[in-house]
Amino acid sequence: MKLKQIHRISGIIIAVFLVLHLSNHLFALGGPALHITVMKYFRMVYRFPPVEVLLLLCVAIQIFSGLRLVFTKGFRKQPLYVIAQALSGIYLSLFLINHVRAVLLARYEWHVETDFYFASGVAVHYPEKLFFIPYYTLSVLCAFTHIACAHYARRMELTAISIPSGADARFKNEAFWILGTGVVVTALIVGSLTGLFYPL
């Protein structure tokens, strides 16, 4: 199996987890208590040991294969969507390394609950918030950017032999809808973590 296919398959598995994870954060719009209640149900799925091991394996594969693809292809004479996909992927790789490490340390060494307050605590206190607000914002935006670019690239691949009239514009519109959704979701999540909608 080609490295690109492995990257795509592991990315799809992570994307399924991401739907749960980001949905959980959106439930925080109803308050921290609702976020934590929903989180407990979702954890029954993604903290089930075989599932958690699979997710961690997919994260490692994503980081390794993604960086390998970026530095193999390079940036010279690449279309904008390829560059955007590569740059967002590099940021996500760095984010995943740091974020997974922090969560695992919190669980197994610091013995701290990694719930809503684990994330929001650093997003509301000065000076930590000067780093963590951009850090969280870019992580969600880059996830949607990466997915949007991958979606556009895949659609172009599937129609590369014969691209129907108007297909390129339609594929771009689909990618921009994904990006637009990402902007809205990012604003709502960061707003809930920083106490914009209710006092923390």
Side-chain angles (χ1 to χ4, degrees):
M1 189 179 292
K2 294 181 180 179
L3 189 64
K4 192 173 182 179
Q5 292 174 309
I6 295 172
H7 186 76
R8 182 178 294 131
I9 292 169
S10 62
I12 291 170
I13 294 171
I14 293 173
V16 173
F17 164 75
L18 196 63
V19 170
L20 293 178
H21 194 56
L22 295 183
S23 297
N24 192 178
H25 281 309
L26 289 174
F27 274 106
L29 295 170
L34 179 60
H35 176 280
I36 293 170
T37 299
V38 173
M39 180 192 68
K40 289 177 180 177
Y41 286 106
F42 285 170
R43 279 183 175 178
M44 294 171 66
V45 177
Y46 61 74
R47 282 200 178 181
F48 179 56
V51 174
E52 187 169 30
V53 170
L54 175 63
L55 284 171
L56 290 173
L57 178 61
C58 285
V59 166
I61 291 171
Q62 275 288 290
I63 294 169
F64 172 79
S65 61
L67 293 177
R68 180 73 179 273
L69 288 168
V70 167
F71 292 109
T72 298
K73 185 177 289 187
F75 292 96
R76 294 186 62 185
K77 298 181 180 180
Q78 296 292 345
L80 181 60
Y81 72 90
V82 173
I83 295 173
Q85 185 179 6
L87 291 176
S88 60
I90 291 171
Y91 181 84
L92 287 172
S93 294
L94 297 174
F95 174 81
L96 285 170
I97 291 169
N98 188 62
H99 191 63
V100 171
R101 173 182 169 276
V103 170
L104 292 179
L105 282 173
R107 282 171 61 186
Y108 297 113
E109 186 170 327
W110 304 334
H111 304 291
V112 174
E113 179 59 77
T114 56
D115 58 11
F116 174 84
Y117 294 105
F118 179 75
S120 67
V122 291
V124 296
H125 293 123
Y126 181 87
E128 294 94 332
K129 65 181 181 180
L130 297 179
F131 171 79
F132 280 97
I133 291 176
Y135 172 76
Y136 287 142
T137 301
L138 280 174
S139 68
V140 184
L141 283 177
C142 282
F144 277 92
T145 299
H146 201 70
I147 291 169
C149 293
H151 173 77
Y152 177 76
R154 184 60 175 165
R155 294 278 270 167
M156 292 297 287
E157 282 178 15
L158 294 174
T159 57
I161 297 175
S162 177
I163 300 178
S165 177
D168 183 57
R170 186 170 74 252
F171 300 161
K172 285 181 180 177
N173 285 337
E174 291 171 358
F176 280 120
W177 271 105
I178 295 171
L179 281 173
T181 301
V183 170
V184 173
V185 169
T186 301
L188 293 174
I189 289 175
V190 174
S192 66
L193 290 176
T194 54
L196 181 63
F197 305 115
Y198 39 74
L200 294 176

